[in-house]
Amino acid sequence: MDRRAFLKLAGSAAAMAVLGRFALGAEKPSRKLNFVFILADDLGWSDLGCFGSDLHETPNIDRLALQSERFTDAYAAASVCSPTRASIMTGKYPARLHMTTWYEASANPPLNHLLIPPVTVGNMPLKQVTIAEVLKKAGYTTAHIGKWHLGDAEHYPETQGFDINIGGTYSGAPNTYFYPYSGTGTFGDGKFRYVPHLELGKDGEYLTDRLTDEALKIVDAVKDRPFYLNMDYHTVHTPIEGKEELIEYYRKKIKPDMRHRNPVYAAMVHTLDENVGRLLARLDKLGIAERTVVFFFSDNGGLAGRYRGKTVTDNSPLRSGKGSLYEGGTRVPLIVRWPGVTKAGSICSQPVSSIDFYPTILEMAGLSGDPQHNADMDGVSFVSLLKDPIARLKRNTLYWHWPHYYFVNPRIGPASSIRQGDWKLIEYFEDNHVELYNLAEDIGEKNNLAEKMPQKAEQLRKLLGSWRKAVDAQMPTPNPRYKSRAGK
């Protein structure tokens, strides 16, 4: 046996040993709530059947929505992945954490624009007490499956409160969705990308399926103990790759008047739905669904740009997509099933954010958490909305901060935004102009009211500036080299 084969077997044996330890430690079935947090990557607000897709078939997620409470105005705390993931883990705004862009870009801001973005935090600080750490201390088995993207090896899930980590690394995407998932060349940067702890696969194996396989093993092993499962799929992030038979199915289904027209992306959404169904079915089979809270969420809006010459997705009726502070970049699907509490098929239109999951889970679990960490937590519990979807939170204002350029579309430049009630304002830092929208009347953000309502715009702008100061938000700085070139 060569060294590579030995290491694969050793890694598999180590994982089985961890699962065996938890299974053997089981005694009487726990009556505490379990938590399954399903996080899709780059899934747009209208990419699901239950949120209005005209092409994608998502019967399992649609069924979950009918059993749950569906949120129409749920937001990622950022328009890109790592900051939102950090907000889920900490309950804090990315701006407060100084984690406002993805890990790889944090230390290397581009120098070829009008403004120079700040150097930001790439590793989620160990001093932050994650929701996993709180639950682990309370006796929960904690497992992370799939994408992590919150730091280097010294900041992997094992260092942030997770007993089990399968697949979580610094990287934001696999080289391919087909086994062995590793290699170089897909993203053109020469970096070797891999998904660890998925050895001993077989040709044709698909990443979304394999991650669910690993999750099912864990659920089987810890079913009698309280557990928290982070089920973080890479789907539907680039590379846009699906199973050939599904691609052909959707290629035949597309009609000229459809908004969603990418058969490969549709195939990815389809497989995501199948695997959500597999996971939910296992909870039912094990008899633990009635004491398991299920969250379904996306880390930012859908990628509205092109990949290999084809538009990835369409977030209509929302404007724009990933990387942007328009609604298409930050508004995302959210479904919550809390058996015995949420009303089947209920819909809530109150704005909630990814910063709110941490305090919500604390309240659900009856835990107070760490007082020092909680002292500057930004999120609020939305348990009251789960009990009554027409209730209102005491908070009515949400904020976003993006002091960067989005490489897919550099025209999406540094900006901050605020939503207060139905009003939304975006402030751009290159020229300091603002845009004002009434989302109740203009969900597509087509009618900029800033000039017609200057007092309202100024009121929100001042609130936004005060918030940035309160959280010590990092700002971009003028680029003198860019100015000198422009002047020639």
Side-chain angles (χ1 to χ4, degrees), residues 41-43 78-83 100-102 105 108-110 112-113 115 117 147 149 187 236-238 240 299-307 312-313 315 320-326 328-330 402-415 428 430:
D41 194 354
D42 288 3
L43 186 74
S79 61
V80 296
C81 48
S82 297
T100 47
T101 191
W102 59 91
N108 300 292
N112 59 337
H113 298 291
L115 300 176
K147 179 171 175 174
H149 212 199
F187 294 93
V236 285
H237 194 287
T238 53
I240 305 302
D299 63 351
N300 49 250
L303 180 59
R306 300 177 74 81
Y307 181 81
V312 176
T313 193
N315 298 306
S320 195
K322 179 179 179 179
S324 167
L325 293 186
Y326 289 119
T330 57
W402 170 249
H404 308 279
Y405 291 89
Y406 185 45
F407 77 100
V408 175
N409 182 1
R411 288 180 298 175
I412 300 177
Y428 291 93
E430 279 198 342

Side-chain angles (χ1 to χ4, degrees), residues 15-264:
M16 292 305 295
V18 171
L19 292 178
R21 172 165 59 87
F22 288 118
L24 290 172
E27 297 174 356
K28 294 181 180 179
S30 168
R31 299 314 303 169
K32 290 182 178 180
L33 284 175
N34 303 315
F35 298 97
V36 174
F37 197 104
I38 304 171
L39 185 63
D41 194 354
D42 288 3
L43 186 74
W45 184 70
S46 59
D47 275 337
L48 303 174
C50 55
F51 277 84
S53 176
D54 56 3
L55 173 64
H56 311 150
E57 296 180 15
T58 55
N60 294 293
I61 299 174
D62 295 350
R63 190 178 307 113
L64 174 65
L66 289 174
Q67 301 167 347
S68 309
E69 184 167 325
R70 180 167 63 89
F71 288 77
T72 62
D73 291 47
Y75 290 93
S79 61
V80 296
C81 48
S82 297
T84 296
R85 291 164 187 271
S87 74
I88 294 170
M89 287 290 97
T90 65
K92 299 181 182 182
Y93 278 118
R96 184 183 296 280
L97 298 170
H98 290 179
M99 294 186 71
T100 47
T101 191
W102 59 91
Y103 169 77
E104 295 90 337
S106 59
N108 300 292
L111 303 177
N112 59 337
H113 298 291
L114 179 63
L115 300 176
I116 300 175
V119 172
T120 59
V121 174
N123 297 308
M124 187 167 68
L126 298 178
K127 67 179 181 180
Q128 299 294 333
V129 182
T130 69
I131 188 62
E133 289 175 298
V134 175
L135 292 172
K136 180 176 180 178
K137 187 176 180 181
Y140 279 72
T141 298
T142 54
H144 176 89
I145 309 292
K147 179 171 175 174
W148 179 242
H149 212 199
L150 289 174
D152 58 25
E154 294 182 358
H155 299 81
Y156 277 4
E158 296 92 332
T159 72
Q160 302 278 13
F162 288 96
D163 296 305
I164 303 167
N165 169 31
I166 297 176
T169 69
Y170 71 90
S171 182
N175 188 64
T176 173
Y177 278 87
F178 293 95
Y179 182 81
Y181 319 116
S182 60
T184 60
T186 296
F187 294 93
D189 55 10
K191 292 182 179 180
F192 184 85
R193 286 175 164 79
Y194 64 98
V195 185
H197 313 308
L198 299 183
E199 296 81 7
L200 304 178
K202 56 185 178 181
D203 290 343
E205 181 181 273
Y206 193 73
L207 179 57
T208 311
D209 297 331
R210 178 62 187 277
L211 291 176
T212 305
D213 292 344
E214 300 300 326
L216 296 181
K217 293 176 187 177
I218 291 171
V219 173
D220 286 346
V222 303
K223 62 182 182 298
D224 293 326
R225 303 166 61 97
F227 65 85
Y228 168 66
L229 172 63
N230 245 18
M231 186 68 253
D232 286 16
Y233 289 107
H234 284 275
T235 303
V236 285
H237 194 287
T238 53
I240 305 302
E241 297 175 343
K243 298 176 183 179
E244 195 56 45
E245 65 273 18
L246 289 173
I247 295 172
E248 186 60 24
Y249 171 78
Y250 282 102
R251 185 177 286 122
K252 293 177 180 178
K253 184 182 176 183
I254 294 173
K255 297 179 181 178
D257 59 346
M258 285 182 167
R259 291 180 294 106
H260 292 131
R261 300 180 52 79
N262 188 327
V264 188

